[in-house]
């Protein structure tokens, strides 16, 4: 695990976007998996801009969405689907054969998990970009989730249900999440965990300096040989050791 500190959110996002754009330049059929949420927003915008401005061929990439709120339609502006469509799929005009998102309305969610698992078995994830929740979750891998999990459906933690309201225009009933598992993260060739702002300082301290334990999911990042934590000064503010 490597840790990189940036002056601010923009510099952090620019670094991630640059790295992904260059990786696509070197590997046009790159498989990119991304979280939604506030953190990767600017990375997605800058990545789209760079790919277009630098005329990088992105016509063969594959895009995978990390997770979704169970029961929400893709038209809900707070859904992960909506984020992926608006930030990546539509701007890059990806073909349906190029992207894979959880269908949170599927009648059989375990079949939906199996579909995503099969798809990932067929292609390795080259770069996985994840954020971190206020309880240390990654995707919807809540505290206590096994580090060996593949895709699964999970009862959301109370913290996730209340913090998650920030994505919605009006109060929504959040119950379950559907998410890729940590086995996918451990198998990804490179993982970026991004966090910015002082509200993430505590969870970043636990991720970097606490115990590696399933009770604090993001600590798994330290078990990945090619993972990079990207944080701004505010998110780094509680780290005790200078890095
Ligand atoms: C959400 C999502 C995660 C996301 C995390 C942090 O609940 N399930 O995929 O990375 O929480 O979100 P944010 O970037 O908005 O702080």
């Amino acid at each position: 695990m490597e840790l990189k500190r940036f002056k601010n959110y923009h510099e952090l996002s620019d670094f991630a976007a640059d790295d992904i754009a260059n990786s696509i330049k070197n590997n046009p059929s790159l498989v990119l998996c991304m979280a939604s949420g506030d953190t990767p927003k600017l990375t997605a915008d800058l990545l789209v801009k760079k790919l277009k401005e630098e005329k990088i061929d992105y016509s063969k990439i594959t895009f995978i969405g990390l997770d979704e709120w169970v029961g929400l339609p893709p038209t809900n502006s707070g859904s992960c689907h909506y984020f992926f469509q608006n930030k990546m799929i539509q701007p890059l005009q990806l073909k349906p054969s190029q992207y894979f998102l959880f269908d949170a309305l599927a009648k059989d969610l375990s079949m939906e998990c199996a579909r995503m698992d099969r798809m990932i078995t067929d292609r390795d994830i080259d770069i996985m970009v994840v954020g971190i929740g206020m309880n240390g979750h990654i995707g919807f891998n809540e505290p206590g989730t096994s580090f060996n999990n593949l895709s699964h459906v999970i009862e959301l933690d109370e913290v996730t249900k209340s913090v998650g309201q920030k994505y919605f225009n009006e109060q929504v009933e959040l119950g379950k999440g559907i998410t890729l598992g940590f086995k996918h993260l451990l198998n990804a060739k490179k993982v970026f965990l991004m966090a910015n702002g002082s509200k993430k300082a505590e969870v970043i301290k636990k991720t970097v300096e606490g115990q590696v334990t399933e009770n604090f999911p993001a600590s798994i990042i330290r078990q990945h040989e090619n993972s990079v934590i990207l944080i701004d000064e505010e998110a780094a503010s509680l780290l005790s050791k200078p890095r």
Side-chain angles (χ1 to χ4, degrees):
M1 181 208 81
E2 195 188 338
L3 188 122
K4 283 188 190 291
R5 293 167 74 135
F6 298 87
K7 235 191 291 162
N8 54 44
Y9 176 54
H10 195 279
E11 285 190 9
L12 176 164
S13 308
D14 200 50
F15 174 88
D18 225 36
D19 185 283
I20 301 167
N22 285 331
S23 303
I24 294 175
K25 207 189 278 179
N26 295 329
N27 173 14
S29 44
L30 182 125
V31 179
L32 173 65
C33 173
M34 224 182 191
S36 56
D38 291 336
T39 315
K41 246 185 208 167
L42 187 55
T43 300
D45 291 345
L46 294 172
L47 173 61
V48 167
K49 194 160 165 261
K50 279 176 204 289
L51 290 174
K52 290 188 175 178
E53 281 178 4
E54 294 171 28
K55 297 194 174 22
I56 295 170
D57 178 12
Y58 53 83
S59 64
K60 293 185 196 65
I61 65 164
T62 298
F63 182 83
I64 302 172
L66 179 67
D67 56 3
E68 186 56 281
W69 308 95
V70 167
L72 284 194
T75 47
N76 186 312
S77 60
S79 70
C80 303
H81 217 103
Y82 194 90
F83 177 101
F84 297 134
Q85 279 289 351
N86 281 281
K87 293 280 169 196
M88 294 293 296
I89 295 167
Q90 281 172 19
L92 295 179
Q93 294 196 298
L94 299 183
K95 297 187 283 291
S97 58
Q98 274 180 283
Y99 60 87
F100 298 88
L101 311 180
F102 280 108
D103 174 5
L105 297 177
K107 279 212 189 79
D108 189 335
L109 291 172
S110 56
M111 295 261 288
E112 184 57 11
C113 290
R115 179 183 73 87
M116 290 294 266
D117 289 342
R118 260 196 319 274
M119 179 274 296
I120 295 175
T121 308
D122 291 348
R123 9 170 130 55
D124 290 334
I125 295 175
D126 292 297
I127 301 183
M128 192 162 186
V129 179
V130 299
I132 177 169
M134 297 303 289
N135 60 356
H137 75 202
I138 287 182
F140 282 131
N141 290 273
E142 299 283 32
T145 305
S146 162
F147 283 175
N148 278 316
N149 266 8
L150 290 168
S151 300
H152 57 282
V153 175
I154 188 162
E155 197 63 48
L156 296 174
D157 194 83
E158 287 309 317
V159 176
T160 304
K161 289 187 209 171
S162 74
V163 176
Q165 296 299 330
K166 69 176 175 167
Y167 305 118
F168 302 96
N169 298 328
E170 46 197 46
Q171 183 84 10
V172 281
E173 185 87 21
L174 299 171
K176 291 182 177 164
I178 184 166
T179 183
L180 297 189
F182 281 147
K183 210 161 203 155
H184 297 306
L185 181 141
L186 290 173
N187 287 338
K189 291 185 196 154
K190 175 152 82 178
V191 182
F192 284 134
L193 185 151
M194 309 190 347
N196 65 286
S198 51
K199 66 175 187 296
K200 294 285 172 77
E202 184 92 40
V203 286
I204 283 301
K205 185 178 173 62
K206 284 190 187 158
T207 303
V208 177
E209 295 174 359
Q211 247 189 310
V212 175
T213 161
E214 290 173 351
N215 292 327
F216 194 77
S219 62
I220 194 173
I221 202 78
R222 285 163 42 202
Q223 290 198 341
H224 193 291
E225 279 179 13
N226 194 19
S227 63
V228 191
I229 298 184
L230 307 176
I231 43 176
D232 69 353
E233 283 305 330
E234 288 185 11
S237 59
L238 292 179
L239 292 179
S240 48
K241 301 167 206 145
R243 286 162 196 274

